[in-house]
Amino acid sequence: MASSHSSSPVPQGSSSDVFFKKEVDPTKHIRPVQSLPDVCPKEPTVTDQHRWTIYHSKVNLPAALNDPRLAKRESDFFTKTWGLDFVDTEVIPSFYLPQISKEHFTVYQQEISQREKIHERCKNICPPKDTFDRTLLHTHDKSRTDLEQVPKIFMKPDFALDDSLTFNSVLPWSHFNTAGGKGNRDAASSKLLQEKLSHYLDIVEVNIAHQISLRSEAFFHAMTSQHELQDYLKKTSQAVKMLRDKIAQIDKVMCEGSLHILRLALTRNNCVKVYNKLKLMATVHQTQPTVQVLLSTSEFVGALDLIATTQEVLQQELQGIHSFRHLGSQLCELEKLIDKMMIAEFSTYSHSDLNRPLEDDCQILEEERLVSLVFGLLKQRKLNFLEIYSEEMIITAKNIIKQCVINKVSQIEDIDTDVVVKLADQMRMLNFPQWFDLLKDIFSKFTIFLQRVKATLNIIHSVVLSVLDKNRRTRELEEISQQKNATKDNSLDTEVAYLIHEGMFISDAFIESELTPLVIDTTSQRNASPNSEPCSSDSVSEPECTTDSSSSKEQTSSSATPGGVDIMVNEDMKLTDLELEKLANNIQELLYSASDICHDRAVKFLMSRAKDGFLEKLNSTEFITLSRLMETFILDTEHICGRKSMSLLGALQSQANKFVNRFHEERKTKLSLLLDNERWKQADVPAEFQDLVDSISDGKIALPEKKSGATEERKPAEVLIVEGQQYAVVGTVLLLIRIILEYCQCVDNIPSVTTDMLTRLSDLLKYFNSRSCQLVLGAGALQVVGLKTITTKNLALSSRCLQLIVHYIPVIRAHFEARLQPKQYSMLRHFDHITKDYHDHIAEISAKLVAIMDSLFDKLLSKYEVKAPVPSACFRNICKQMAKMHEAIFDLLPEEQTQMLFLRINASYKLHLKKQLSHLNVINDGGPQNGLVTADVAFYTGNLQALKGLKDLDLNMSEIWEQKR
């Protein structure tokens, strides 16, 4: 590296090392006297001692920069002006310097050998003075001892008598003072000083003469050869003058014109390069205004591309331009400003996109603007923009509910907003239809909101996937090119690498043959570029073309988003595949989060309305309507977002559980009241209940729709006909069947409460069984209702009601089984237990009827006496009670059950009659008593078989007689 210096002339010296001479302390500067063949450097005289010399120089700038003793240069001083490249920069070896070997010095050794022989011959003639003998050494020591007598002040390089201190020390004034009568003594002192100084002068002159004598032969040799040297120099000067004249003529005739042409061509090329460089500088100078214009139109990607291209040009082609030394840092600051602007712009876009009227049919707001923003954010690695969108979604969801409530409340005239200030309190004043319409409106707005969020996130997702796809394709192309290069190299290396051609591998010859055309083409292009005539003053130059090509390399093939917007994927998007895949997953998670946000806000809206127990007070129809609306919204959001949110579903399940509890408690309480007021008499069956039973027989387990016209004309029936069988029932059982259908219909309407409903229905059926048993068999109706007694008709009616419920238990079981999961089938065992309990209850009622007649038989037959008249009074009473029993149960129980019941009663009758006859010792011996008993039994048998439905009853009265022993 070169550096300019302005300094005063320095004294000439015969030795080249005078420029590297260091400053020495003058007090210690004593040169030893040596007999050297060269001339000592010229010391500065008294006259020029104040002039600047090389000895005053401490160190110059090139020496500081090129000092090999420094381990590391200071990088904080020079880099401020010369740039960062000054530090630790390796010097590239020049391609134009050949490798020097010993053969390069052969010619020089041949030329110098003759001179070396002459030099050796001269050394033999004039031996060197460096070989001292003892005499010379002794003389040198003596002269050194004499010189030590001279004071050191005379040896200083800055010795000058015009200095007062120096003059006073050499010539003290005391030697010249004649006052005070001391003239003789002062004169002697002055004379002594003069002799001392003369002695010093003699010593110096002797040493000088000695030094001259040591170099006398060199002086004489120089004097004798000086004349020959002057003649030789004169001839040489004449020859040089002639040669210069000839060269000047040749230069004027042959070279000056051609060199001038080449010089002009080079100057023209340099001017073109300077023009192109200035043109490029003018373009770069317009970068900041152009960026401002792009930012005013929200072209963030274009502004960032322009900044990146400009920074590349500054680093490659305009490096070192002093006027652009601050442009790089300004562009960096501008890039940071663009980052902040893009974040703010995306936040503004998110707000305007999510808060625009939901009635607008446009799904995506300014799709091109969104694509540009996303590409800019990806280019700058600002991957937190999804958090901004998420926060905006939360705010928008809150505002949707708030605005819907305000709109609905404003339509209700009954609500005084001046008295009820809080919006939540105003909302709680709505009745169910009004509140249901409000919730329906909120769900519809949330659905549109999620559709818009999905459309926007799909655009962002497509942009991320396009960048990811471009990265993968670029990487695949690079791998293919590397494989091709490796294959090409392997083919060259393996063809004929071991064959020798003119001392060189043939593969090397092939490589040279391939490199030569490339060098020729490159050279021709470089030569053609300066010589090409530009079409105009604005023609594109070589550096400018380079810039365009470098900027064009940043662009890649365009792709299209789902909305049809062309997008450009840049090479400088250095996001890794892992980051892009993670971002794509975060976009999908953001869509799920949008669904969760809507569900969470809906849950809070429901909970705010449920504070006063509003939801728990809904009837079945209202709650089922609400449940269907919520389930529809859950399915819609799942269809839009691809995942089911659980918060609203959980809230629905919680409210459903509360509804089930209230639903069950209401119906259980209703059933309890009905049973407590039931007088256990046969009730008429309204037509609607008959239709209800018929619909169940047709497989439709649901409450039928009311038919006002047809129902009013039909009269109630005495019995309930179920699949051809007649059931005489009480009114409580009819309502119980309707309650059971309500349970089944609730399961159809709210599938999530199937298991709870099954448990509650089982509890209801068990309660009816146990409570009816307490009232009838346990005679609880006597105290509760005030019945005088529990008649056989009450018992038969209770049994028939239980049989009707048992008939429908399998139907109920199948209904629930179709709506349960396979793992929940174990809950169906409750119906098996209920069926067993009901059958046990029916058997107990039958046993109770038999027990009633058994006690009657025991009472009447215990007083039976075998005597006239026939039939006896006892048997008349028995037949009368049997007729009453038959009359009480025949219209209630089926004929088969009646026959089975009278068979059991007849068995009890025969047992008591046999016991009484055994007690009376009446045997089947054909005697008078036997005849009387036979006549009474025949009367009993005839009356019993005369009853309706008992004609074919096998009584087998022969069992009343004991067998003969």
Side-chain angles (χ1 to χ4, degrees), residues 258 326 522 545 700 715 786 885 951 958:
S258 301
H326 300 303
T522 306
C545 293
K700 184 180 179 182
K715 296 181 179 180
M885 170 69 77
K951 182 179 181 180
S958 61

Side-chain angles (χ1 to χ4, degrees), residues 498-509 512:
Y498 57 90
L499 297 178
I500 303 300
H501 176 67
E502 295 181 355
M504 180 178 63
F505 285 101
I506 294 181
S507 58
D508 295 336
E512 282 191 356

Side-chain angles (χ1 to χ4, degrees), residues 176-228:
F176 303 99
N177 190 2
T178 56
K182 298 180 180 180
N184 295 330
R185 189 175 61 181
D186 291 339
S189 298
S190 299
K191 186 176 180 180
L192 179 61
L193 178 61
Q194 183 178 5
E195 291 179 356
K196 185 184 296 185
L197 294 175
S198 299
H199 178 65
Y200 295 157
L201 179 60
D202 293 339
I203 292 173
V204 171
E205 288 178 351
V206 169
N207 280 275
I208 291 174
H210 178 69
Q211 293 293 332
I212 293 174
S213 64
L214 293 177
R215 294 168 175 79
S216 59
E217 294 183 0
F219 288 155
F220 290 135
H221 179 70
M223 293 299 294
T224 54
S225 60
Q226 185 176 7
H227 295 290
E228 297 178 358

Side-chain angles (χ1 to χ4, degrees), residues 938-957:
F939 175 77
Y940 164 79
T941 304
N943 280 280
L944 187 60
Q945 290 181 345
L947 296 175
K948 190 177 180 181
L950 302 180
K951 182 179 181 180
D952 299 331
L953 193 64
D954 185 11
L955 300 179
N956 193 11
M957 298 304 294

Side-chain angles (χ1 to χ4, degrees), residues 626-645:
L626 175 62
S627 175
R628 286 179 178 176
L629 178 63
M630 295 172 66
E631 289 176 354
T632 303
F633 176 69
I634 292 171
L635 293 177
D636 291 341
T637 55
E638 182 181 2
H639 177 71
I640 294 173
C641 301
R643 189 182 71 176
K644 180 182 292 186
S645 297

Side-chain angles (χ1 to χ4, degrees), residues 584-642:
N585 294 333
N586 290 340
I587 294 172
Q588 187 63 38
E589 290 295 331
L590 185 59
L591 182 59
Y592 299 154
S593 176
S595 176
D596 294 340
I597 289 170
C598 293
H599 282 247
D600 292 341
R601 301 313 304 178
V603 169
K604 290 184 179 180
F605 178 76
L606 289 174
M607 293 299 103
S608 64
R609 189 64 183 91
K611 285 185 178 180
D612 54 354
F614 173 77
L615 298 179
E616 297 178 2
K617 298 176 183 179
L618 299 179
N619 57 37
S620 301
T621 304
E622 292 174 343
F623 186 83
I624 290 169
T625 306
L626 175 62
S627 175
R628 286 179 178 176
L629 178 63
M630 295 172 66
E631 289 176 354
T632 303
F633 176 69
I634 292 171
L635 293 177
D636 291 341
T637 55
E638 182 181 2
H639 177 71
I640 294 173
C641 301

